[in-house]
Amino acid sequence: MNFVAFERAKQGTGASRRLRNSGKTPGIVYGGTAEPQLIEVDHNALWHALKKEAFHSSVLDMEVAGTTSKVLLRDVQYHPYKQLVLHIDFQRVDEKTKLHMKVPLHYSGADESNAVKVDKCMVNPIVNELDVTCMPSDLPEFIAVDLSKLEKGASLHLKDIKLPKGVTAKIRGGQNNNPVLVSVVPPVVVVETPAEAAPAADAKGKGKGKK
């Protein structure tokens, strides 16, 4: 994805407020060998871009003053209750340095699995994005996960999926190195309990008329 940003000369609370009032969002680009650069982005264009998954998980082409550079979205600050982006951070990408990113997991095929079709189980995704490391050229927009082979009583773990070429899952220290990504929950069986028989004395009483 590509987007256009503009150089920003002024900084500070007052300058940022005036910028937002004019329909712009202040931001910064940092990383690499160059100095951090103050930028501004059209707010409406940015707001719509942020709704796209790829804007959060892909290497982006940012054009500033006629020069295009590759960056990653690193941080977004939103207003507590208004539909307003207060500030945005981008990091420059070094094509020779590995990235650490969160990549969305796209699940499909659950309805075709025996767990759902035959055993009427419920498929419950537990992890929706994965921490990965890879070179910028290998960064996937998302990772597709096929659930069509799920069976009752078996969960899907990290080691059960095939990651794209050049992509490695990043497991933090102390965490399970093979976490569950998707659980298979068996259907709830409701057992109806027959109504208790009325006491014999009551039954006899109902059967007799008044004397």
Side-chain angles (χ1 to χ4, degrees):
M1 292 184 65
N2 64 307
F3 69 100
V4 178
F6 303 91
E7 295 176 323
R8 175 166 61 98
K10 297 181 179 181
Q11 57 181 317
T13 304
S16 295
R17 185 184 302 112
R18 289 190 293 273
L19 197 63
R20 296 185 192 103
N21 289 338
S22 67
K24 305 289 185 180
T25 299
I28 189 171
V29 185
Y30 59 85
T33 57
E35 291 293 321
Q37 181 181 19
L38 299 177
I39 60 170
E40 59 185 64
V41 185
D42 178 79
H43 183 271
N44 287 340
L46 176 62
W47 183 264
H48 290 293
L50 286 168
K51 293 181 179 180
K52 299 178 181 179
E53 185 179 71
F55 197 75
H56 296 260
S57 59
S58 302
V59 175
L60 308 171
D61 292 319
M62 181 186 70
E63 181 183 338
V64 180
T67 301
T68 300
S69 56
K70 295 189 179 298
V71 298
L72 293 171
L73 174 63
R74 281 307 190 191
D75 188 54
V76 185
Q77 297 176 25
Y78 292 95
H79 192 278
Y81 56 88
K82 295 181 181 179
Q83 290 189 343
L84 181 66
V85 180
L86 299 177
H87 195 274
I88 192 160
D89 294 5
F90 295 97
Q91 180 184 354
R92 297 186 185 95
V93 171
D94 181 354
E95 295 184 356
K96 297 181 180 179
T97 303
K98 282 190 173 183
L99 303 173
H100 177 202
M101 286 286 290
K102 289 183 180 294
V103 176
L105 297 177
H106 285 191
Y107 297 110
S108 63
D111 291 342
E112 302 302 318
S113 67
N114 285 338
V116 174
K117 288 179 66 176
V118 178
D119 297 307
K120 310 302 179 184
C121 295
M122 179 181 295
V123 174
N124 181 29
I126 297 174
V127 177
N128 292 312
E129 59 183 13
L130 198 62
D131 282 324
V132 303
T133 57
C134 63
M135 299 300 291
S137 58
D138 293 327
L139 180 65
E141 182 178 324
F142 61 87
I143 297 173
V145 181
D146 180 20
L147 303 181
S148 63
K149 305 299 182 183
L150 286 178
E151 298 285 347
K152 180 181 179 181
S155 299
L156 184 78
H157 292 74
L158 175 59
K159 292 183 179 180
D160 296 327
I161 69 173
K162 183 178 180 180
L163 297 176
K165 182 180 178 181
V167 176
T168 303
K170 180 74 172 179
I171 304 297
R172 296 180 182 179
Q175 290 185 334
N176 180 3
N177 62 0
N178 190 28
V180 175
L181 304 182
V182 177
S183 65
V184 178
V185 182
V188 177
V189 178
V190 178
V191 179
E192 294 185 1
T193 304
E196 294 182 1
D202 291 349
K204 291 180 180 179
K206 290 180 180 179
K208 295 181 179 180
K210 292 184 179 180
K211 294 183 179 179

